[in-house]
Amino acid sequence: MDPVTFEVIRHRLLAITDEQGATLAAISGSPHVVNANDFNVGLYLPDGSVAAMGRTILLHSASMALITRHVIEDCEQDPGIHPGDMFVVNNPWKGAIHAQDMGVVAPIFFEGELLAWAGAMCHMPDVGGSRPGSFCNDATECYQEGLQLTPTKLVEDGRIRSDVWNLIMAHTRAAPAVNLDLRGLIAANNTAVRAMTQLAERYGVDTVKAVMAGLIDLSDRRLRNRLRELPDATVRSTAYLDNDGGLNEVYHVDLVMTKTGDKLRFDYSGSSPQVEGYINCTSSGLMAGINAALLPTLAYDAPWNEGLFRPVDVYAPEGLICNAKRPAAVSGGALEAGWLVEMTAVEALSKLVACSDELMGEAQAAPAGGPDQFVLSGNNAHGDPFTHVILDCLATGGGAYNHRDGVWTQGQHNIERQRISNAEDMELETPLLYLRRGLVTDSGGAGEFRGGQSMGSTFLVHRGTGLKAMCNGHGWEAPNSTGIFGGYPGTQNIRDLIVGTDVLDQFARGLHVSDVDRIAGERPSMHGRQGAFAVSDGDVLSTIHQSGGGWGDPLARSIGALAEDLRSGAVSADAAQRLYGIVLTDTGQIDVEASESKRHALREQRRAWPRAVADIPRPSGELTRVGPLGSALQLLRAEDNIGYSACRCGHVLSESTHPWRARAGEQIEHDVHQVSLATRLSDVLEVRRYACPACGSLLSTDVARRGSDRVHDVEVKL
């Protein structure tokens, strides 16, 4: 077909997904939909392949296609798929990431032929289970986590089935909100059915189908072409999940990513076995995390559809923490193991593209490593029961790049279009008052380019009864927002509760209360998997959320950039001196000459760090640069065709097939505050810094298990 018609229909398909999203938001009104954009919509081929998807939360990019395929498999024969039907699914082993994500799909028939499918999914405020909000941190199996529908016909011949509808409403604590969400999902699909029918009437079924198939082929070609631009390589990444709410264990999500020609293989088989707690994810969560990393990193200029999944192979045997076998508890998996799948995939893909001078600008340090959930339930000031998920944990800083700092309050990496709740609306809807909501100094990871700042919030509990807060999150004792190529990690999740405070007394005296250190009261111990705890009028809860990691050696950050950081409050005077090697005058100004001298001395100290293995003899003959290994290292080729990993200064560390870290200076740290705002680090973890023994430049900052082998994270094939 002519390219003009192709582009017209292509953009019409995208416009239809926008119309689906607008319809859902208008009817739902849910903060998850309207603010967090925790939903997705799309159009799918008759076999379930993604033809066009909404640009909202990337985690659902593959989930809706999986749901559609399960509907076809389970329902085609009985009860049958007919015009006017719609099917509902929220089972984590049938495409949903966890039970709170409920999807509705509808077949689109034209003149008796199945033209396509429409789908819409959003996060429901509650689907039952042991905890309000259905994040069941006490669950040990999926049967305790609420309603989990396998493909079920919800709408038949255009009419809602009241038996199924009533079943869903009977299983939720938030029936009015779920009622609107479901109606919004149905309406979004009706919008797509009408629009696709009009499109087929205007251009013909064959033309519309050809465009959808052509878009998939186009994306397939673009991604394969991009992969061919990159060197063949094996890249490794590991992220750590601190405890499951019961045992104080640290689990890991382990990725070995191999790029060969125009294909990518993600191997997660080295991850921890599934656990009893609710932190596991199913294969849906595994694919969600991979796609959320892949699409913006490698496919930023391609239509997002099924074609981007064709060059990708995933290996993860069932029974892992990131591919749990039924009946594992998985209600928290989207924010736990599934989130760390995304973190490892972002790191591995970024390190791969950083092996190309042309594409290095697309690489990024790890974004926020996972939210600290805050679900508040009870009775509001009017005596009405409520359950509300507080969305402030989404306002996190982005990871740094090799040419600029991360964006402050960028929002979560996997939510492309995101807002958080308006503060005034929150104070009307919940028994909370804001004492402070703003950027957190030092939250972004230190580096030559700094991670973006996250937002912190301080809440006063006010005029509610029977209130319970539920707070759960990883990244409490394990840095998940890791830096890259020497950059330091962003802050970890931090939470403080102050009971029986004097805030109202300070208000009565006309004082402005925002600094938690100036609030009197009892401070019970907090931990990551806090679970549900009672709160009362006058209590204060303060939260700081993980933020993006830094890029490159912090000692390489320019004096001018640090002066601006100090002026804006992005970096404190303490961190400027402790992390960036800056000397300040009595007036708080940067002493440039003294700072340069201090930085030189710090690099000299690094040159003296111990090494596991001595230098190899420098290869004879001329060494030719093959390409970068990120911004700190480079790959060199000798005349005998042997590859070597070398610092940017030219110092050769090791053969490229061997771990270069063994021949770099190594400094092991157990006090995470030496590299971050955070103060907690699990006893089983340590922070390892590696420096060039010739120039003292910081090459990598790793989080690792104590006693584990040094990682060979990037191995490029010559």
Side-chain angles (χ1 to χ4, degrees):
M1 87 184 54
D2 68 276
V4 173
T5 301
F6 183 89
E7 288 298 317
V8 168
I9 296 177
R10 167 192 172 183
H11 285 84
R12 180 63 188 128
L13 294 173
L14 294 175
I16 291 172
T17 64
D18 286 341
E19 292 168 14
Q20 285 180 276
T23 302
L24 171 58
I27 294 174
S28 163
S30 162
H32 292 100
V33 173
V34 176
N35 294 321
N37 273 334
D38 193 351
F39 73 93
N40 212 330
V41 295
L43 301 169
Y44 311 91
L45 297 186
D47 67 354
S49 299
V50 183
M53 69 175 70
R55 302 291 287 258
T56 51
I57 186 166
L58 303 185
L59 293 177
H60 297 323
S61 59
S63 184
M64 288 299 301
L66 290 171
I67 284 177
T68 304
R69 290 179 173 126
H70 282 295
V71 167
I72 295 169
E73 181 181 353
D74 292 1
C75 302
E76 190 168 28
Q77 297 300 319
D78 183 17
I81 299 170
H82 308 290
D85 291 348
M86 293 193 195
F87 300 83
V88 61
V89 180
N90 76 323
N91 187 290
W93 285 271
K94 292 291 184 178
I97 300 176
H98 53 182
Q100 301 95 305
D101 291 329
M102 191 168 286
V104 176
V105 297
I108 304 173
F109 285 87
F110 184 78
E111 296 179 348
E113 179 184 356
L114 182 59
L115 169 63
W117 288 82
M121 167 186 277
C122 73
H123 183 102
M124 298 290 176
D126 186 276
V127 293
S130 62
R131 297 293 185 186
S134 304
F135 288 105
C136 304
N137 66 296
D138 56 344
T140 58
E141 54 184 7
C142 63
Y143 306 115
Q144 302 161 343
E145 298 182 309
L147 181 67
Q148 297 179 19
L149 289 168
T150 57
T152 303
K153 188 174 287 190
L154 177 64
V155 178
E156 189 167 23
D157 194 22
R159 298 182 62 183
I160 292 174
R161 289 186 53 181
S162 60
D163 56 345
V164 178
W165 191 274
N166 293 337
L167 172 70
I168 296 171
M169 295 304 134
H171 280 80
T172 175
R173 300 173 179 86
V178 171
N179 174 73
L180 286 176
D181 284 342
L182 264 182
R183 293 186 185 277
L185 296 175
I186 292 171
N189 286 337
N190 283 331
T191 297
V193 171
R194 285 194 299 269
M196 288 294 290
T197 300
Q198 293 168 357
L199 198 61
E201 287 173 344
R202 180 169 182 179
Y203 292 99
V205 170
D206 291 341
T207 301
V208 175
K209 281 187 172 181
V211 172
M212 290 192 293
L215 281 171
I216 292 173
D217 289 340
L218 171 63
S219 297
D220 185 2
R221 289 195 304 274
R222 283 196 180 174
L223 180 54
R224 291 185 190 275
N225 288 339
R226 176 141 298 135
L227 289 171
R228 292 188 191 101
E229 296 174 20
L230 295 165
D232 289 350
T234 299
V235 186
R236 297 171 176 84
S237 175
T238 302
Y240 297 95
L241 195 58
D242 42 349
N243 81 67
D244 59 4
L247 301 173
N248 189 27
E249 299 286 347
V250 172
Y251 308 99
H252 61 272
V253 173
D254 183 82
L255 168 62
V256 178
M257 186 186 77
T258 305
K259 182 267 168 182
T260 306
D262 61 358
K263 294 181 180 180
L264 273 176
R265 177 179 171 85
F266 292 84
D267 183 348
Y268 281 94
S269 60
S271 302
S272 295
Q274 68 187 60
V275 301
E276 271 199 347
Y278 82 136
I279 62 176
N280 309 283
C281 73
T282 65
S283 60
S284 301
L286 174 72
M287 295 307 304
I290 292 172
N291 293 340
L294 175 71
L295 270 56
T297 306
L298 286 182
Y300 49 86
D301 59 352
W304 288 359
N305 58 45
E306 192 75 22
L308 302 176
F309 311 147
R310 288 178 175 174
V312 175
D313 175 46
V314 178
Y315 178 65
E318 199 173 39
L320 300 175
I321 196 172
C322 55
N323 186 14
K325 185 177 182 179
R326 188 176 172 86
V330 296
S331 59
L335 305 182
E336 305 291 353
W339 203 283
L340 295 192
V341 169
E342 180 187 353
M343 292 300 101
T344 54
V346 167
E347 181 180 53
L349 288 167
S350 290
K351 288 184 175 180
L352 175 64
V353 299
C355 293
S356 163
D357 290 313
E358 293 75 20
L359 294 175
M360 192 181 298
E362 301 301 329
Q364 184 182 22
D372 187 9
Q373 306 164 29
F374 178 14
V375 181
L376 187 66
S377 62
N379 298 306
N380 62 21
H382 308 291
D384 299 325
F386 76 97
T387 297
H388 199 101
V389 180
I390 312 301
L391 299 176
D392 288 38
C393 61
L394 301 181
T396 56
Y401 294 82
N402 79 321
H403 57 287
R404 63 173 174 84
D405 294 340
V407 179
W408 50 268
T409 58
Q410 166 188 290
Q412 301 296 356
H413 181 267
N414 52 46
I415 306 179
E416 191 179 42
R417 300 173 182 173
Q418 177 183 299
R419 294 185 296 271
I420 59 172
S421 300
N422 178 279
E424 286 77 13
D425 290 344
M426 282 280 295
E427 293 180 335
L428 285 172
E429 295 170 4
T430 68
L432 294 175
L433 293 178
Y434 278 96
L435 299 181
R436 182 185 182 276
R437 192 190 211 190
L439 298 173
V440 177
T441 299
D442 295 336
S443 54
E448 180 178 3
F449 294 96
R450 174 179 47 75
Q453 293 170 267
S454 281
M455 186 183 78
S457 302
T458 304
F459 307 94
L460 172 69
V461 181
H462 182 62
R463 298 185 65 194
T465 58
L467 299 177
K468 283 192 174 181
M470 189 179 74
C471 293
N472 292 296
H474 61 261
W476 187 259
E477 295 181 327
N480 299 130
S481 306
T482 49
I484 196 169
F485 306 129
Y488 288 169
T491 189
Q492 295 157 217
N493 284 320
I494 300 171
R495 182 191 335 119
D496 291 297
L497 176 67
I498 312 173
V499 177
T501 70
D502 64 343
V503 170
L504 295 180
D505 292 338
Q506 293 193 49
F507 280 167
R509 299 199 304 271
L511 300 177
H512 174 71
V513 183
S514 62
D515 187 349
V516 294
D517 293 333
R518 296 178 179 271
I519 298 175
E522 182 183 351
R523 298 173 185 257
S525 176
M526 290 275 105
H527 55 88
R529 313 283 180 214
Q530 194 74 31
F533 54 93
V535 291
S536 305
D537 273 15
D539 292 351
V540 168
L541 185 69
S542 176
T543 60
I544 295 174
H545 307 289
Q546 296 197 61
S547 191
W551 180 301
D553 187 350
L555 297 186
R557 187 162 180 82
S558 72
I559 298 295
L562 281 164
E564 176 59 24
D565 290 338
L566 290 166
R567 187 200 64 77
S568 67
V571 174
S572 68
D574 170 69
Q577 298 172 89
R578 178 169 48 88
L579 304 181
Y580 291 97
I582 293 301
V583 177
L584 300 177
T585 66
D586 293 340
T587 60
Q589 303 301 307
I590 296 177
D591 185 324
V592 177
E593 184 175 345
S595 296
E596 294 295 347
S597 177
K598 179 181 178 181
R599 285 179 160 187
H600 176 75
L602 290 172
R603 291 189 183 97
E604 287 299 307
Q605 291 178 20
R606 290 174 179 173
R607 292 178 62 191
W609 285 355
R611 287 177 281 169
V613 181
D615 286 345
I616 62 171
R618 182 172 178 85
S620 60
E622 184 179 356
L623 294 176
T624 305
R625 182 180 183 272
V626 177
L629 296 173
S631 58
L633 298 169
Q634 55 186 335
L635 177 63
L636 304 179
R637 186 200 306 267
E639 293 175 349
D640 56 5
N641 205 37
I642 294 177
Y644 293 90
S645 300
C647 177
R648 284 184 303 181
C649 71
H651 177 76
V652 175
L653 291 162
S654 70
E655 291 186 13
S656 60
T657 54
H658 294 80
W660 59 263
R661 284 168 172 78
R663 290 185 165 87
E666 182 181 58
Q667 175 79 9
I668 296 177
E669 185 64 66
H670 298 123
D671 178 7
V672 73
H673 192 58
Q674 296 303 313
V675 295
S676 171
L677 173 65
T679 58
R680 296 180 175 91
L681 185 67
S682 168
D683 290 340
V684 306
L685 298 177
E686 61 190 17
V687 178
R688 302 171 180 173
R689 286 179 284 181
Y690 296 93
C692 173
C695 69
S697 293
L698 198 62
L699 305 177
S700 186
T701 302
D702 301 345
V703 178
R705 285 188 184 272
R706 295 194 186 191
S708 63
D709 293 337
R710 297 174 183 86
V711 68
H712 189 27
D713 55 338
V714 182
E715 183 178 349
V716 174
K717 310 293 192 299
L718 282 178

